[in-house]
């Protein structure tokens, strides 16, 4: 059997074997040309033949259902079966109770059992935003967000993180990750800047190994293969003013030179899906752009996988609440294959059926979408081994994965200023630690962590930066006060861990400023007033407007959003790892310079690719 046809090696638990056998027998009763098992049930046949056979048995309603991906809160297992829904997702924070890996696997299997109980027994595919680890799941390993990974300049590390994430995702049954984001962030005001590997197409193109990490060399060929998604197609990082879901007002040449190359690289790696951007290009919504989806993506770039909408993006074409038949028709005809929806899946199916029956959406377009969707399901091996791969559950939050995350954290640290205070000695004298981000795993993980926007506090398992400092400086007395109260001249150094608190997407847009908040400034002022050397560590999803303050600091370390393994920051502060990170984006001298990018003639505070070391 050719390698491309090897199914995903999922192994169902013993308690589900009997049920799976029953489902197969039920599906086998569907009439076939030779009176035996339907051809689509035969794993020995090439995938295109299996797809053709299955599609010949599908009704229009079967096909329309396959084009829907619905949020789990809006449709339980029976509703998914009743409407022949092709896919389910958990949006940010949409988790079972309790939020444990085992409960995720149980939830997934309940949906899959329902899908398999339908006459044709077409398995569903389940998607999540596993954008920096399996970040919806309590106890999963949380890796640095992409901006930090971009700072590492280490594509092999990013591929290994993809593979480790895939293990944790597959363990809970999930088949599909909406990652990697290969956007090129050109304006730090944008609330998704941290989802970008950097401001140049080369940054994201180099890190498309994340696709290979998630999927493996061939989709479905390994036990933990999870379908990857290149997003958001195309130009979302170039909107005017950094406005999330805004308008990218550039010519086609710039679109092709800056924003398209990472998608070309992801397609070359065999990425299974592409997610279309909420944003517009010169006033035209991407979800209605037949030219960019049908002609460029599917035609010119030869993308043969499935194109998925963003969450409820179909609602946004006309700027009004809810979606209309016109929006359904426009987006389907533009080349969207599967529609991600928070709810109202029944209305979507009704509208699309009416458009097909009226000849406004060609039957060939419906068939093209189904062929793309079903091909990925067959390649993943879901028809043979549809249930959660529970033998991988011990990998979720494992010591091995946390050590990989720690490596990523230390390699992502960018040393921007140092008068000799760093590296800190591990013993002798006292250290003072302050700042709202020093002892807060939620803050250091950022958005898309347990919930959509993320949140402050002890939201998941891991090690805070403060805990990492204390472990590294076990021979020193370490005092912590969030606000810097109690510091005096007896300390040999003070570390202020400051910056942003969690956000995601448009709620993170900052059109009015990117400076430190009042609390951070007051904390740093107290530390400086003591007369001891002050090391400032910024925890943020982008460069901050600090030029007016940095001259008073003895050292500045950009830690980005490191995730669950704060020891990696301490590894650099105390010299166990020489800082090697380089800026993946130009650091503004003032907010008024934005947008600022390498080569635009503006004078930055720190240039693109800048980063000091201890050597």
């Amino acid at each position: 059997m050719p390698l491309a046809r090897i199914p995903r090696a999922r192994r169902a638990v013993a308690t589900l074997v009997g049920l799976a056998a029953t489902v197969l027998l039920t599906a086998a009763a569907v009439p076939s040309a030779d009176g035996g098992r339907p051809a689509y049930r035969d794993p020995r046949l090439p995938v295109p033949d299996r797809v053709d056979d299955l599609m010949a048995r599908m009704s229009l309603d079967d096909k329309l259902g396959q084009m829907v991906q619905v949020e789990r809160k809006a449709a339980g297992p029976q509703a998914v079966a009743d409407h022949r829904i092709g896919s389910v997702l958990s949006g940010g924070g949409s988790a079972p109770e309790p939020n444990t890996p085992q409960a995720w696997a149980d939830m997934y299997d309940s949906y899959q059992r329902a899908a398999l109980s339908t006459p044709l027994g077409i398995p569903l595919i389940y998607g999540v935003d596993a954008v920096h680890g399996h970040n919806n799941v309590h106890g999963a390993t949380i890796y640095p967000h992409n901006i930090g990974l971009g700072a590492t300049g280490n594509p092999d590390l990013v591929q290994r993180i993809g593979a480790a994430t895939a293990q944790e995702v597959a363990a809970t049954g999930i088949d599909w990750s909406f990652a990697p984001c290969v956007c090129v962030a050109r304006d730090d005001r944008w609330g998704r800047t941290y989802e970008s590997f950097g401001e140049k197409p080369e940054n994201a193109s180099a890190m498309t190994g994340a696709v290979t990490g998630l999927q493996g060399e061939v989709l479905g060929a390994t036990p933990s293969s999870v379908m990857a998604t290149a997003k958001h197609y195309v130009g979302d990082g170039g909107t005017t003013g950094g406005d999330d879901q805004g308008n990218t007002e550039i010519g086609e040449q710039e679109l092709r030179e800056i924003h398209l190359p990472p998608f070309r690289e992801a397609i070359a790696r065999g990425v299974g899906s592409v997610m279309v951007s909420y944003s517009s290009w010169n006033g035209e919504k991407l979800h209605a752009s037949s030219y960019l989806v049908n002609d460029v993506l599917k035609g010119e770039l030869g993308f043969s996988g499935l194109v998925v909408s963003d969450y409820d993006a179909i609602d946004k074409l006309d700027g009004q609440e809810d979606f209309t038949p016109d929006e359904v028709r426009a987006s389907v005809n533009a080349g969207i294959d599967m529609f991600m929806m928070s709810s109202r899946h029944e209305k979507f199916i009704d509208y699309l059926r009416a458009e097909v029956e009226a000849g406004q959406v060609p039957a060939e377009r419906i068939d093209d979408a189904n062929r793309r969707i079903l091909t990925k399901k067959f390649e993943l091996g879901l028809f043979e081994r549809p249930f959660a791969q529970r033998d991988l559950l011990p990998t979720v939050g494992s010591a091995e994965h946390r050590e990989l995350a720690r490596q990523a954290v230390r390699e992502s640290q960018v040393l921007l200023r140092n008068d000799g205070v760093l590296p800190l000695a591990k013993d002798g004298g006292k250290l003072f630690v302050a700042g709202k981000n020093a002892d807060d795993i939620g803050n250091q993980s950022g958005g898309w962590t347990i919930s959509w926007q993320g949140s402050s506090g002890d939201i998941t398992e891991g090690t805070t930066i403060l805990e990492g400092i204390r472990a590294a400086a076990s021979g020193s007395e370490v005092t912590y006060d969030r606000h810097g109260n109690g510091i005096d001249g007896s300390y040999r150094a003070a570390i202020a861990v400051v910056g942003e608190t969690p956000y995601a997407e448009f709620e993170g847009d900052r059109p009015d400023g990117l400076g430190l908040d009042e609390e951070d400034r007051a904390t740093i002022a107290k530390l400086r007033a003591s007369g001891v050397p002050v090391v400032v560590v910024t925890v943020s999803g982008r460069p901050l407007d600090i030029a007016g303050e940095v001259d008073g600091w003895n050292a500045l370390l950009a830690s980005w959003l490191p995730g669950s393994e704060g020891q990696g920051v301490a590894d650099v502060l105390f010299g166990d790892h020489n800082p090697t990170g380089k800026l993946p984006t130009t650091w503004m001298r003032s907010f008024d310079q934005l947008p600022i990018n390498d080569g635009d003639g503006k004078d930055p505070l720190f240039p693109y690719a800048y980063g000091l070391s201890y050597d």
Side-chain angles (χ1 to χ4, degrees):
M1 183 166 57
L3 184 60
R5 309 306 180 207
I6 299 174
R8 179 179 181 177
R10 289 179 175 268
R11 289 193 293 272
V13 293
T15 57
L16 298 173
V17 169
L19 174 62
T22 301
V23 169
L24 290 174
L25 287 172
T26 300
V30 177
S32 63
D34 60 5
R37 176 170 65 169
Y40 77 89
R41 286 291 178 190
D42 188 347
R44 298 169 298 178
L45 294 177
V47 166
D49 292 353
R50 299 178 74 185
V51 171
D52 287 343
D53 181 75
L54 176 53
M55 287 182 60
R57 302 167 187 273
M58 295 170 71
S59 67
L60 177 60
D61 281 347
D62 290 326
K63 293 177 180 179
L64 300 182
Q66 286 298 304
M67 296 174 66
V68 173
Q69 180 181 65
V70 65
E71 157 58 46
R72 56 172 282 275
K73 293 178 181 177
Q78 189 57 52
V80 165
D82 290 345
H83 296 286
R84 309 294 192 262
I85 300 298
S87 183
V88 176
L89 83 148
S90 282
S94 179
E97 289 291 342
N99 186 357
T100 65
Q102 179 73 41
W104 276 84
D106 293 343
M107 176 188 70
Y108 173 90
D109 283 351
S110 70
Y111 275 104
Q112 200 64 282
R113 285 194 295 269
L116 296 173
S117 71
T118 59
L120 292 174
I122 302 174
L124 60 80
I125 185 169
Y126 201 116
V128 297
D129 285 278
V131 298
H132 63 143
H134 199 4
N135 42 262
N136 271 317
V137 180
H138 188 276
T141 310
I142 306 299
Y143 296 90
H145 271 296
N146 285 352
I147 194 169
L149 297 182
T152 71
N154 189 342
D156 176 70
L157 175 65
V158 171
Q159 182 166 327
R160 289 166 58 205
I161 288 171
T165 299
Q167 285 189 326
E168 300 198 18
V169 169
T172 60
I174 309 302
D175 320 287
W176 186 1
S177 173
F178 306 133
C181 186
V182 295
C183 60
V184 181
R186 304 289 288 176
D187 192 323
D188 298 334
R189 291 171 288 189
W190 188 37
R192 303 193 85 144
T193 296
Y194 66 77
E195 296 188 51
S196 170
F197 291 109
E199 71 182 36
K200 293 188 175 184
E202 295 86 346
N203 300 119
S205 294
M207 299 306 183
T208 53
V211 171
T212 306
L214 287 164
Q215 295 187 167
E217 293 294 337
V218 175
L219 181 64
T222 63
S224 59
S225 181
V226 168
M227 188 164 72
T229 308
K231 67 181 189 183
H232 304 87
Y233 182 84
V234 56
D236 57 333
T239 60
T240 300
D243 179 22
D244 191 55
Q245 304 184 21
N247 191 18
T248 302
E249 298 174 282
I250 58 176
E252 184 165 350
Q253 181 177 347
E254 184 175 346
L255 186 77
R256 287 176 172 272
E257 290 178 352
I258 300 296
H259 299 282
L260 196 61
F263 289 94
R264 191 185 303 273
E265 291 298 317
I267 291 167
R269 287 182 175 271
V271 69
S273 65
V274 168
M275 184 183 294
V276 177
S277 174
Y278 282 124
S279 58
S280 303
W281 178 45
N282 294 327
E284 181 185 32
K285 288 287 188 182
L286 270 296
H287 279 78
S289 178
S290 181
Y291 173 65
L292 288 176
V293 179
N294 283 326
D295 297 349
V296 177
L297 178 62
K298 292 183 174 181
E300 179 184 327
L301 300 185
F303 178 62
S304 60
L306 73 92
V307 177
V308 63
S309 81
D310 209 332
Y311 193 77
D312 282 340
I314 192 175
D315 291 11
K316 302 177 183 295
L317 296 188
D318 63 7
Q320 304 299 314
E321 290 292 327
D322 210 347
F323 58 85
T324 65
D326 287 346
E327 288 173 304
V328 171
R329 179 176 64 254
S331 53
V332 173
N333 285 339
I336 311 298
D337 301 313
M338 182 177 280
F339 290 80
M340 186 188 298
M341 311 185 75
S342 64
S343 60
R344 298 160 296 163
H345 48 282
E346 295 177 56
K347 178 189 287 189
F348 173 84
I349 291 171
D350 289 343
Y351 283 174
L352 183 52
R353 183 189 302 108
E355 292 296 311
V356 173
E357 292 174 346
Q360 298 300 307
V361 172
E364 293 82 3
R365 173 77 270 274
I366 302 300
D367 284 348
D368 172 59
N370 272 260
R371 182 165 283 105
R372 290 167 179 271
I373 294 163
L374 295 172
T375 294
K376 295 308 168 187
K377 292 186 176 185
F378 280 115
E379 288 177 351
L380 281 165
L382 294 175
F383 282 81
E384 286 71 52
R385 297 170 181 84
F387 297 110
Q389 191 172 301
R390 296 170 190 256
D391 57 329
L392 288 175
L393 283 171
T395 70
V396 179
S398 67
E400 178 184 0
H401 289 178
R402 292 186 182 277
E403 183 56 38
L404 178 63
R406 181 176 178 175
Q407 177 188 346
V409 174
R410 62 176 179 254
E411 290 191 24
S412 71
Q413 304 300 290
V414 181
L415 183 63
L416 296 172
R417 180 183 177 89
N418 185 26
D419 68 359
V421 66
L422 294 179
L424 296 167
K426 294 183 178 181
D427 50 28
K430 299 187 298 180
L431 293 172
F432 197 99
V433 181
K436 67 175 183 287
N437 292 340
D439 195 31
D440 194 308
I441 201 162
N443 286 358
Q444 74 187 42
S445 296
W448 293 109
T449 309
I450 307 302
S451 62
W452 171 38
Q453 294 287 323
S455 59
S456 301
D458 189 20
I459 62 172
T460 192
E461 298 172 9
T463 302
T464 68
I465 294 171
L466 174 64
E467 289 168 339
I469 290 170
R470 283 182 164 150
S474 56
S476 297
E477 178 183 338
V478 177
T479 300
Y480 168 69
D481 182 85
R482 169 172 172 152
H483 300 287
N485 296 321
I487 190 170
D488 57 35
S490 67
Y491 291 88
R492 59 185 171 92
I495 305 168
V497 189
V498 296
E500 296 187 307
T501 53
Y503 56 83
E505 298 190 56
F506 59 90
E507 293 191 24
D509 284 0
R510 296 290 180 266
D512 299 320
L514 280 167
L516 296 176
D517 65 21
E518 184 176 342
E519 177 183 341
D520 287 344
R521 292 194 300 271
T523 299
I524 294 172
K526 288 179 185 177
L527 302 184
R528 289 187 61 200
S530 72
V532 305
V534 175
V535 176
V536 174
V537 177
T538 55
V539 172
S540 67
R542 50 198 157 190
L544 301 176
D545 186 4
I546 55 170
E549 300 143 288
V550 69
D551 287 344
W553 306 341
N554 299 89
L556 171 61
L557 186 69
S559 289
W560 312 113
L561 296 170
S564 62
E565 307 311 307
Q567 308 103 309
V569 178
D571 289 340
V572 171
L573 289 172
F574 292 92
D576 289 327
H577 180 82
N578 191 28
T580 56
K582 305 296 180 184
L583 286 180
T585 185
T586 304
W587 199 292
M588 76 195 87
R589 183 172 294 278
S590 72
F591 183 77
D592 292 340
Q593 289 181 313
L594 296 179
I596 182 171
N597 293 287
D598 187 45
D600 62 11
K602 298 178 183 178
D603 178 33
L605 181 61
F606 302 110
Y608 174 84
Y610 181 81
L612 302 172
S613 71
Y614 296 149
D615 296 334

